[in-house]
Amino acid sequence: MPKKVNVGKGVGRVVKYALKTAVQDAKRIEREKQKERKKIDRERQRQDKNRAAEFKRIERERIKTQKIQEKQEALDFAKRKTEEANLVRDQLKNLLVDYNGNNNHFDWNKYRLIEPFKEKKPVPEFGLKKKEIPPEPNFEEYKIKDNLLSTIFPFFKDIKEKSAVKRYNTDLEKWKLLKNKLDSINEEILLNDEIALTEWKNSKVGHEESVVKTNSAVDILYDSYKKSELPGIEFFIDEVLSNLVLPIEFEGEWEVAIESKLVLIDFKLPQKDIIPQTKTFKYLVTKKEFTETFISEKDINKIFDLFIIQLSLIVQNVIFRADLENVIDSIVFNGWIDSIEKATGHLRKICIISLQATKEELINLKLDSVDPKSCFKQLKGFSAERISDLIPIEPILMFNKSDKRFVESTSTNYVKDENIASMHWEVFEHLIRELFEKEFISNGGEVKITQASRDGGVDAVAFDPDPIKGGKIVIQAKRYTNVVGVSAVRDLYGTVMNEGANKGILVTTSNYGADAYNFVKDKPLTLLNGSNLLFLLEKHGYNYKIDIEEARANLKRKK
């Protein structure tokens, strides 16, 4: 009996084996992939580790370099600060060496306006942009010519003639509209040409007036200087001393008076703290901190004494050397300083040095070789044995700030909400004086009003002791109901130049034109309009008002 073969079972085994093999292959492949991934991960980790190590190395190098740089910068800063302090002290002790023989020529021409009017005359645009107007329609061109048809049928001729008249009238209206439009354009072009030419002419006239006004003021100052009069001398000395360069940051402040050819200068001196006190400035690397040592009080006093003596000689020297016209024969230098009075504790101004010298005495000295103290004594300078003790002395000559133009001021009767645009001009000028006196008095300033000019304005002179923004200030006021023109501003500038003042202030109850604001650019002038004036008045407790229309009506009734 034949043996039965179970084919299905064999196939199943084969399939089972194949599946097993496939699974094993898949697992093997997966293991190889995992192995490869782990290898890649290990390589990535190794690279990350190397990059991190490199970054740390670079960062360590950067920090190290930075520390070395910071250390060097600190050492350089300390060295530089020490050297700067020593240099300034050396310069203060040897001040005369740098200034001996310095000519300091004073050039009056640099204050004159010598540049010609540069603005080019505008080229008329009318000829370039003018619109040509086409010829007016001619009715003859619209007329109907007779022909055989119009002769046979006259009504055809009437129809055509009516049509021609209609076309003519339509074209004529279009032409008129076009003509009006082009005429308007041409008129505008022509008007723009006229405006441009007028503005150019006004600008030229303004420049010429400014040149004449400024140069006239300079000429007046120059003439005053040559005559040894106060305005010119004061301007001359202010300009010379303003250009005085010292090794310390010190804004000088002075007042000038003159008697014949003898000039008196009251000079406000700096305090002792302008002397650099640093002796050594070091950087301790181990502690990473700065240390500083200071020169002794005795050394500071010696340098200060020497500096003040040299300053008194230099001020006179530079003025005499700049005075090439020989209008100054002698100068008295009084050095004043603010000092705390030990008995009362109050701050007061005292004179601690006074020196009078002639031009011949100063010019003939070889200052770079003299001993400052010996030179000061030979010139019979007057001071305490130690100037730094700030012991008051009696000046050789006292400063007198009086001006014959100044008159006694009077107080105004304050009326709340009064219209100052209608105020009497004399009351108005005293109100302005009171206002600016309150503005300047906090800094120890003073305002003096001049004799009435009866022009509805006010001339006042303020003396502001502030070393930076102070000095002599000319104040003019215009109680106007109309816009203040540029001529008033030019007049103020001329007055500032003529007075040798540091600044000019123009106050009005109305406003200023654009030309006025353009003129004051780059000039020591301040314009205060009605709004500014009301704000300043309110600041100091005055509640006035400005009503231009009401003021005009009041003035009209008075007339």
Side-chain angles (χ1 to χ4, degrees):
M1 187 171 178
K3 190 176 180 179
K4 293 182 180 180
V5 178
N6 193 345
V7 178
K9 190 175 181 180
V11 172
R13 284 197 296 271
V14 171
V15 172
K16 186 177 181 181
Y17 178 77
L19 289 173
K20 182 179 179 181
T21 302
V23 170
Q24 289 175 348
D25 289 341
K27 289 181 177 179
R28 179 179 56 77
I29 292 171
E30 182 62 28
R31 285 196 299 271
E32 290 177 353
K33 287 182 178 180
Q34 289 180 356
K35 186 177 179 180
E36 184 64 25
R37 282 197 294 270
K38 287 181 179 179
K39 183 179 179 181
I40 292 172
D41 288 341
R42 286 195 299 271
E43 180 62 24
R44 186 181 294 113
Q45 290 174 359
R46 186 185 66 80
Q47 291 177 357
D48 290 344
K49 187 176 180 181
N50 289 340
R51 279 196 294 269
E54 181 64 16
F55 176 78
K56 288 181 179 179
R57 185 189 67 79
I58 293 172
E59 184 65 14
R60 285 195 301 271
E61 289 294 328
R62 186 191 67 79
I63 293 173
K64 182 179 178 181
T65 303
Q66 182 179 348
K67 287 181 177 179
I68 293 173
Q69 184 178 354
E70 290 175 350
K71 171 187 170 183
Q72 190 59 47
E73 288 177 353
L75 291 171
D76 291 343
F77 172 75
K79 180 180 178 182
R80 187 168 60 253
K81 189 168 182 180
T82 301
E83 291 176 346
E84 287 174 353
N86 289 329
L87 177 62
V88 171
R89 285 195 295 269
D90 288 341
Q91 290 174 332
L92 291 175
K93 288 187 288 186
N94 299 287
L95 209 56
L96 293 178
V97 176
D98 296 330
Y99 277 95
N100 185 54
N102 194 340
N103 196 10
N104 292 312
H105 174 59
F106 188 83
D107 186 8
W108 286 90
N109 287 325
K110 78 173 185 178
Y111 300 95
R112 293 184 171 91
L113 298 178
I114 57 176
E115 290 188 3
F117 185 63
K118 294 182 179 180
E119 187 178 336
K120 293 183 179 179
K121 187 176 181 179
V123 178
E125 296 184 345
F126 184 73
L128 302 173
K129 295 184 178 181
K130 180 182 177 182
K131 303 295 182 182
E132 295 296 333
I133 300 174
E136 181 180 352
N138 188 356
F139 183 71
E140 296 296 328
E141 297 177 358
Y142 291 81
K143 287 183 177 181
I144 303 301
K145 295 181 180 180
D146 293 335
N147 55 29
L148 181 61
L149 185 63
S150 63
T151 303
I152 298 173
F153 303 102
F155 68 91
F156 280 117
K157 182 178 180 181
D158 293 340
I159 293 172
K160 288 186 176 181
E161 285 181 350
K162 289 181 180 178
S163 177
V165 170
K166 186 176 181 180
R167 289 198 313 275
Y168 168 75
N169 289 334
T170 301
D171 290 347
L172 183 61
E173 287 300 319
K174 289 180 180 178
W175 178 83
K176 288 180 179 179
L177 291 173
L178 178 61
K179 181 177 181 300
N180 290 336
K181 182 179 179 180
L182 296 180
D183 282 343
S184 178
I185 293 174
N186 289 337
E187 287 176 4
E188 185 176 357
I189 295 172
L190 192 60
L191 180 61
N192 289 337
D193 283 348
E194 291 176 354
I195 291 173
L197 182 60
T198 301
E199 289 179 348
W200 178 83
K201 287 180 179 178
N202 290 339
S203 184
K204 184 179 180 182
V205 169
H207 173 79
E208 291 170 351
E209 289 179 351
S210 178
V211 168
V212 171
K213 188 79 174 178
T214 302
N215 291 348
S216 175
V218 173
D219 289 339
I220 291 172
L221 279 175
Y222 180 54
D223 186 60
S224 172
Y225 158 75
K226 289 194 296 182
K227 292 178 180 178
S228 297
E229 295 174 347
L230 181 61
I233 293 294
E234 192 173 40
F235 177 80
F236 165 74
I237 290 177
D238 283 348
E239 293 301 310
V240 171
L241 295 186
S242 294
N243 293 320
L244 190 64
V245 180
L246 298 173
I248 52 174
E249 292 185 4
F250 165 55
E251 291 289 340
E253 182 182 346
W254 53 84
E255 292 179 288
V256 178
I258 185 166
E259 181 69 34
S260 185
K261 287 192 172 186
L262 185 149
V263 171
L264 170 67
I265 301 175
D266 272 4
F267 198 99
K268 186 175 181 181
L269 300 171
Q271 300 291 332
K272 286 193 292 184
D273 57 12
I274 55 102
I275 309 293
Q277 300 180 26
T278 301
K279 182 177 182 181
T280 60
F281 194 78
K282 295 182 178 180
Y283 179 68
L284 301 179
V285 178
T286 55
K287 295 184 178 181
K288 296 182 180 179
E289 62 181 27
F290 291 99
T291 61
E292 187 174 12
T293 60
F294 302 95
I295 61 175
S296 65
E297 183 69 21
K298 182 179 178 181
D299 289 337
I300 292 175
N301 291 337
K302 283 183 178 179
I303 297 173
F304 182 75
D305 291 356
L306 195 57
F307 166 68
I308 296 301
I309 289 174
Q310 291 181 98
L311 181 63
S312 68
L313 293 168
I314 285 173
V315 166
Q316 299 197 40
N317 182 58
V318 295
I319 293 173
F320 281 138
R321 290 189 178 276
D323 177 34
L324 300 182
E325 310 253 355
N326 295 319
V327 299
I328 301 174
D329 287 344
S330 179
I331 297 176
V332 175
F333 176 94
N334 292 332
W336 298 79
I337 196 167
D338 292 330
S339 175
I340 300 293
E341 192 176 43
K342 294 181 179 180
T344 64
H346 293 159
L347 182 69
R348 68 189 187 101
K349 185 179 177 182
I350 61 173
C351 181
I352 59 174
I353 185 172
S354 189
L355 172 66
Q356 180 176 3
T358 64
K359 188 170 189 175
E360 184 179 0
E361 287 175 324
L362 259 293
I363 292 297
N364 290 331
L365 290 175
K366 193 175 180 182
L367 294 180
D368 59 342
S369 302
V370 303
D371 175 71
K373 290 186 176 181
S374 300
C375 180
F376 181 74
K377 289 180 179 179
Q378 181 179 325
L379 294 172
K380 297 180 174 57
F382 188 40
S383 71
E385 182 65 26
R386 290 190 297 270
I387 298 175
S388 53
D389 289 341
L390 305 185
I391 297 174
I393 64 164
E394 189 68 26
I396 295 172
L397 183 65
M398 290 293 291
F399 178 81
N400 184 6
K401 198 167 51 181
S402 64
D403 190 323
K404 293 179 180 179
R405 296 172 301 165
F406 296 150
V407 296
E408 290 296 323
S409 60
T410 58
S411 298
T412 56
N413 294 321
Y414 170 56
V415 179
K416 185 178 180 181
D417 292 330
E418 181 181 357
N419 184 9
I420 59 176
S422 300
M423 186 178 284
H424 187 274
W425 64 268
E426 195 168 5
V427 177
F428 181 67
E429 74 176 25
H430 286 290
L431 172 64
I432 296 302
R433 179 202 58 78
E434 282 185 15
L435 175 64
F436 279 94
E437 189 172 48
K438 289 186 177 183
E439 184 70 17
F440 286 113
I441 200 169
S442 60
N443 293 327
E446 183 180 0
V447 177
K448 295 201 174 197
I449 197 165
T450 61
Q451 293 177 1
S453 58
R454 301 184 183 274
D455 65 348
V458 57
D459 289 326
V461 178
F463 299 94
D464 186 352
D466 190 288
I468 297 176
K469 63 181 179 63
K472 185 178 181 181
I473 302 172
V474 172
I475 304 167
Q476 289 185 348
K478 302 293 181 184
R479 191 213 55 188
Y480 279 10
T481 56
N482 297 317
V483 174
V484 180
V486 70
S487 59
V489 186
R490 289 197 185 99
D491 289 342
L492 173 62
Y493 185 54
T495 302
V496 170
M497 296 293 292
N498 190 45
E499 290 284 338
N502 301 77
K503 185 179 180 180
I505 300 175
L506 187 61
V507 188
T508 183
T509 49
S510 58
N511 213 326
Y512 302 94
D515 50 355
Y517 286 108
N518 287 331
F519 182 80
V520 300
K521 290 179 180 177
D522 303 323
K523 293 182 178 65
L525 302 177
T526 297
L527 303 182
L528 300 180
N529 62 15
S531 298
N532 302 139
L533 178 56
L534 286 178
F535 176 81
L536 197 58
L537 285 165
E538 186 176 350
K539 173 183 174 183
H540 293 289
Y542 297 97
N543 291 313
Y544 285 109
K545 71 175 183 178
I546 294 178
D547 189 329
I548 298 298
E549 294 302 323
E550 179 185 285
R552 287 174 180 169
N554 291 340
L555 292 173
K556 189 175 181 181
R557 282 196 299 271
K558 290 179 181 179
K559 289 181 180 180

